[in-house]
Amino acid sequence: MAQNLAELCTILIENQLGELSAQIFATLAEHGRLPIPTLAHHSGIPSRRVRTGLANLLEAQLVLHFAAEEDAPSFYSVNWRNAYNLARHTNIVELVNERFGERAGHLVGNILQLGHAKVGDLAEAYELAPGSKRDSGVDGTTYHATDPGMVNGAAKTNAANASQMTSANEFHGTLRALLRSGILVKVGMRAFMPSSDLQEQIEEMVIVDQFPDRKVTGPKKQAEFKQAVQILKRKWRDDDTYSDLHDGGSKGAVKRPGEHFQQSNKRIKLNGVPNGLDAANGEQEVQKLSNDLVVRVDFTRCVLSLRSRRLQQYAKRFMGGVSAEVYGALLQVLEGKSRSVRDELAPEDDEDEEEKLPVANISEVAEVLDPTIDLGATIKGLASSNGVPNGVGKHKTEADDGIKREDSDDEEKPNGFTSYRDRAKRMALIEAHLSLLEEHGKSFCQRARAHNSNEWRVNFPALTSMLIEAELDNTVRDRFGQIALRIVRMLRDRGKLDEKLVASNVMMRVKDVRAILTQLQFHGILEAQELPKDNGRQPSRTLYLWFFDPKRVQSLVLQQSYKAMSRTLQRIPVERERYRTIIEKAERTDIKGHEQEKLEAIEKQMLREWREIEERLLAQVGRVDEIVALLRDFSGKDTSLVT
């Protein structure tokens, strides 16, 4: 593992689980997969304590294990992705808050703290089942992020009440919505196995079942072997996927599993209760999940959502807020149809890369899009009349014709539209915005097939490369100035050039350009290739060609991002030590929650300063994590382990 990444993961685990687990993780990161006796020897920790630390790491899925046979020793290795994702908990909770509400975000935050949890244990912790699990590790009353006290030290009382589940129906309904969206997934024993061992196990099972002679050589048998491996992979993947039909509990009312949650994520209320599910007014019961179902957060699916949010922000810079909302709805629909950017069990298809991209029709986008947005406000000639956005609402009011009308709650109204004409108008407006996004130079989306096709797709690889290129350009400009950025862009477009051609193209003197080139080479942004003119290899008889390697610079910025996050997290305990006295006083049981009455004015000021410092440092970690997600995760190509 890369040194900067190992250091960052160790710090995150120390903040989350303590020094013992961090030391065990650091030893595994340094020496690779080890059994318990060897791990105890390298770490200098007694075997009994090693087992305790490994249990904590396994529960949080920060370590993977595998044993070839039942009696064989287990080998443990680090799960560096989940270890790094400890820094991403806050961004994931914010994402869930935006889409599903605060209560769903609070539930996901608790599951992130635990690593994985049974549905029954979560229900008991929220006091929604008989008994109460006080020591479960679930915070049922206050909102928290990755570390205790990360969000300004403590949550307010009203925020706690807003994030508290009020009924079992709401709890199971929210879980089902999160499971359908892919934010939460089922956990099986395969989730604790390294991918390489899982691949070997699949291949061995295929050989034993279908190739008893263990001969898989030759083109024909190789093709049959690969096909059988892919079939078994797909079968295992389907078995590990959540299903309303197979994963529902045996108790509780059954009202068409999922009928209350087939609506858009955008139509979930801010308090986390989906439409049609009111705990205070006799809500209809939904099918309860099995208490034995184990769930965890799927970080790879969250990466897709974070990528969609980043692309929506990018589109907003060029197209405005309304078109960006339409684009965000399109991206959200495509998320549910996309495989993970890192699908280790996905089949290997030989299809065209563009044909693999998922498609979405306009009606699906309309289901997700917020119906209150005025889609015609930013398109000339299509602005809504009478102040009614998109034609949504009543065509005539009681004051218009004196006739009192009553809306029937039993009549189904798709997306709030009262007529086919309004729906057709809304579809036309959505298509108009998608056409504008397609015609833009960045090509945010494209029609799927024919010219008049109703289906749209997004070329995620091309847009991700564009975002990475823009991020690298911003980094060079911020660190070295606009002239250095101009040189880097020119070398990226034209390839290798000597300093005279570089100076000519940027219209500067050679000696001025030479200073900038040397500075960029010193910091690893540019490289020079030596071409000697003769065998003497004298500097005066050597031609130096300067070039820019985007992949190398991307890896360099990524490693520097890891280092910046490590230093920022190390700064927090240093700053905390300066305010240690007032923090310890504020955390006393007789004072906590009553700071305004029991603390003096100077103590309140000091506590406020500490919380502001902590919040700024943690916000900086979150911003750097967005850069890491872009450079490493959005494309699905891992460069973070490069030393």
Side-chain angles (χ1 to χ4, degrees):
M1 181 184 289
Q3 180 180 358
N4 292 326
L5 178 59
E7 181 184 5
L8 173 60
C9 292
T10 303
I11 295 173
L12 291 169
I13 292 175
E14 184 176 0
N15 293 339
Q16 182 82 1
L17 299 177
E19 185 177 354
L20 174 63
S21 298
Q23 187 174 352
I24 294 174
F25 183 91
T27 304
L28 289 174
E30 180 181 359
H31 298 280
R33 56 191 299 168
L34 299 172
I36 290 180
T38 310
L39 177 58
H41 171 72
H42 286 299
S43 62
I45 302 174
S47 298
R48 180 177 56 82
R49 298 195 65 201
V50 167
R51 288 185 173 88
T52 302
L54 285 175
N56 294 332
L57 291 169
L58 285 169
E59 185 178 5
Q61 291 190 325
L62 302 175
V63 166
L64 303 173
H65 71 94
F66 177 75
E69 299 177 358
E70 292 184 1
D71 299 333
S74 295
F75 285 81
Y76 298 87
S77 59
V78 298
N79 188 351
W80 67 268
R81 291 186 182 279
N82 282 5
Y84 171 81
N85 285 330
L86 292 175
R88 192 167 289 172
H89 286 186
T90 303
N91 288 337
I92 292 175
V93 172
E94 290 178 358
L95 178 68
V96 176
N97 284 340
E98 293 175 2
R99 295 193 176 184
F100 298 93
E102 293 183 4
R103 295 179 181 177
H106 181 264
L107 177 62
V108 169
N110 282 324
I111 297 175
L112 287 171
Q113 288 285 320
L114 298 171
H116 64 276
K118 284 186 177 182
V119 173
D121 293 342
L122 288 172
E124 289 184 9
Y126 278 100
E127 300 181 358
L128 301 176
S132 178
K133 197 159 185 152
R134 300 297 181 185
D135 58 346
S136 62
V138 174
D139 183 3
T141 56
T142 58
Y143 173 88
H144 57 83
T146 54
D147 291 329
M150 283 186 64
V151 182
N152 293 337
K156 295 181 181 179
T157 304
N158 56 357
N161 295 332
S163 62
Q164 181 68 27
M165 293 290 178
T166 58
S167 68
N169 265 1
E170 180 185 356
F171 171 76
H172 289 280
T174 303
L175 275 178
R176 284 186 178 276
L178 293 171
L179 284 166
R180 287 195 189 92
S181 66
I183 300 296
L184 297 182
V185 292
K186 291 194 322 183
V187 178
M189 292 305 299
R190 300 188 191 104
F192 299 91
M193 294 175 55
S195 58
S196 58
D197 294 322
L198 190 61
Q199 176 72 18
E200 291 179 1
Q201 186 177 8
I202 292 175
E203 293 177 355
E204 182 64 23
M205 292 180 63
V206 170
I207 290 175
V208 171
D209 294 340
Q210 304 183 26
F211 300 91
D213 56 356
R214 307 189 69 86
K215 293 182 179 179
V216 291
T217 57
K220 184 177 180 180
K221 282 201 170 184
Q222 276 288 328
E224 294 177 357
F225 175 70
K226 290 182 179 179
Q227 183 179 6
V229 169
Q230 295 299 332
I231 291 174
L232 185 56
K233 282 183 178 181
R234 285 192 288 268
K235 181 179 181 300
W236 283 11
R237 183 178 58 187
D238 294 340
D239 292 342
D240 293 338
T241 303
Y242 167 77
S243 171
D244 276 328
L245 182 61
H246 299 96
D247 297 319
S250 58
K251 297 181 180 180
V254 179
K255 298 286 187 181
R256 292 184 185 177
E259 65 179 350
H260 299 295
F261 290 91
Q262 291 176 353
Q263 304 300 326
S264 150
N265 291 340
K266 282 287 186 179
R267 300 177 64 190
I268 295 179
K269 296 180 180 180
L270 293 178
N271 62 2
V273 183
N275 291 342
L277 192 66
D278 186 1
N281 298 315
E283 76 269 13
Q284 299 180 13
E285 293 187 1
V286 298
Q287 185 182 15
K288 296 181 180 179
L289 294 169
S290 171
N291 288 333
D292 295 330
L293 178 64
V294 182
V295 296
R296 67 173 176 87
V297 175
D298 186 5
F299 293 105
T300 57
R301 178 61 62 176
C302 293
V303 166
L304 295 179
S305 302
L306 293 173
R307 181 179 67 180
S308 299
R309 185 169 67 173
R310 184 66 177 266
L311 288 174
Q312 182 179 350
Q313 294 172 355
Y314 192 58
K316 187 176 181 180
R317 292 174 49 192
F318 299 96
M319 305 299 298
V322 178
S323 295
E325 289 292 335
V326 176
Y327 190 53
L330 172 63
L331 294 173
Q332 189 170 342
V333 173
L334 295 177
E335 284 177 24
K337 302 181 178 183
S338 301
R339 288 201 301 262
S340 166
V341 292
R342 288 187 62 259
D343 194 351
E344 296 173 350
L345 297 180
E348 297 179 1
D349 299 327
D350 296 331
E351 302 176 4
D352 182 35
E353 188 68 25
E354 187 175 351
E355 294 298 327
K356 295 180 182 179
L357 297 173
V359 297
N361 56 52
I362 296 179
S363 61
E364 293 174 329
V365 177
E367 289 286 335
V368 175
L369 187 62
D370 186 358
T372 62
I373 298 176
D374 189 356
L375 299 176
T378 57
I379 300 179
K380 185 177 181 180
L382 296 179
S384 302
S385 59
N386 300 328
V388 181
N390 310 321
V392 179
K394 300 179 181 179
H395 291 284
K396 292 183 179 181
T397 62
E398 180 181 354
D400 294 332
D401 52 11
I403 301 175
K404 183 177 180 181
R405 294 179 172 85
E406 295 183 358
D407 292 330
S408 175
D409 295 333
D410 298 330
E411 183 180 357
E412 185 178 0
K413 299 177 181 179
N415 298 327
F417 294 104
T418 57
S419 69
Y420 176 80
R421 180 184 300 175
D422 293 333
R423 181 175 177 83
K425 178 182 179 181
R426 183 171 175 80
M427 295 298 178
L429 290 172
I430 293 175
E431 186 174 7
H433 282 280
L434 292 177
S435 299
L436 291 176
L437 292 164
E438 180 186 22
E439 295 169 0
H440 193 270
K442 304 296 182 181
S443 187
F444 290 105
C445 60
Q446 303 90 29
R447 290 186 186 270
R449 296 175 180 84
H451 177 69
N452 294 325
S453 173
N454 197 31
E455 295 180 336
W456 295 78
R457 66 159 54 100
V458 175
N459 191 349
F460 289 107
L463 288 174
T464 301
S465 300
M466 190 184 305
L467 287 175
I468 292 174
E469 182 179 304
E471 185 63 37
L472 295 180
D473 288 349
N474 292 336
T475 301
V476 173
R477 183 187 63 236
D478 295 340
R479 293 185 182 180
F480 308 104
Q482 188 67 33
I483 297 177
L485 175 60
R486 190 195 314 170
I487 293 174
V488 166
R489 284 179 172 174
M490 181 194 62
L491 292 176
R492 181 173 55 207
D493 294 339
R494 302 192 179 184
K496 298 179 180 180
L497 299 174
D498 65 348
E499 60 183 18
K500 292 183 180 179
L501 287 176
V502 173
S504 175
N505 287 321
V506 300
M507 294 180 291
M508 295 177 61
R509 293 182 300 178
V510 175
K511 66 175 185 178
D512 296 334
V513 170
R514 186 181 297 121
I516 298 176
L517 292 174
T518 304
Q519 182 187 18
L520 292 175
Q521 183 188 27
F522 177 78
H523 289 90
I525 305 298
L526 297 182
E527 291 293 331
Q529 180 181 359
E530 300 180 6
L531 294 179
K533 297 180 181 179
D534 51 33
N535 294 333
R537 307 183 69 88
Q538 297 293 328
S540 59
R541 299 287 299 168
T542 301
L543 185 65
Y544 295 92
L545 298 180
W546 296 89
F547 65 94
F548 174 75
D549 186 358
K551 296 299 182 183
R552 184 181 181 278
V553 176
Q554 179 180 344
S555 177
L556 177 65
V557 174
L558 193 57
Q559 297 301 320
Q560 293 174 350
S561 300
Y562 292 147
K563 188 174 182 179
M565 295 174 73
S566 300
R567 299 299 179 266
T568 305
L569 291 173
Q570 289 173 338
R571 185 68 185 175
I572 293 178
V574 176
E575 294 291 340
R576 184 184 179 91
E577 188 63 24
R578 295 171 50 195
Y579 299 89
R580 180 171 57 86
T581 304
I582 184 59
I583 293 174
E584 291 178 352
K585 183 176 181 180
E587 291 178 350
R588 282 166 41 185
T589 56
D590 59 329
I591 295 180
K592 191 172 183 179
H594 304 279
E595 293 91 345
Q596 298 297 329
E597 297 84 4
K598 297 187 178 182
L599 292 181
E600 298 180 0
I602 186 63
E603 293 175 334
K604 295 177 185 177
Q605 177 65 24
M606 293 178 63
L607 189 61
R608 191 179 303 111
E609 291 177 0
W610 152 245
R611 290 174 176 173
E612 291 176 356
I613 292 173
E614 184 188 36
E615 186 175 356
R616 287 199 298 267
L617 292 173
L618 292 172
Q620 180 65 20
V621 173
R623 285 193 291 266
V624 178
D625 171 63
E626 294 178 358
I627 298 176
V628 172
L630 171 61
L631 299 181
R632 186 193 69 188
D633 298 330
F634 289 175
S635 64
K637 301 175 182 178
D638 302 326
T639 57
S640 56
L641 296 182
V642 178
T643 56

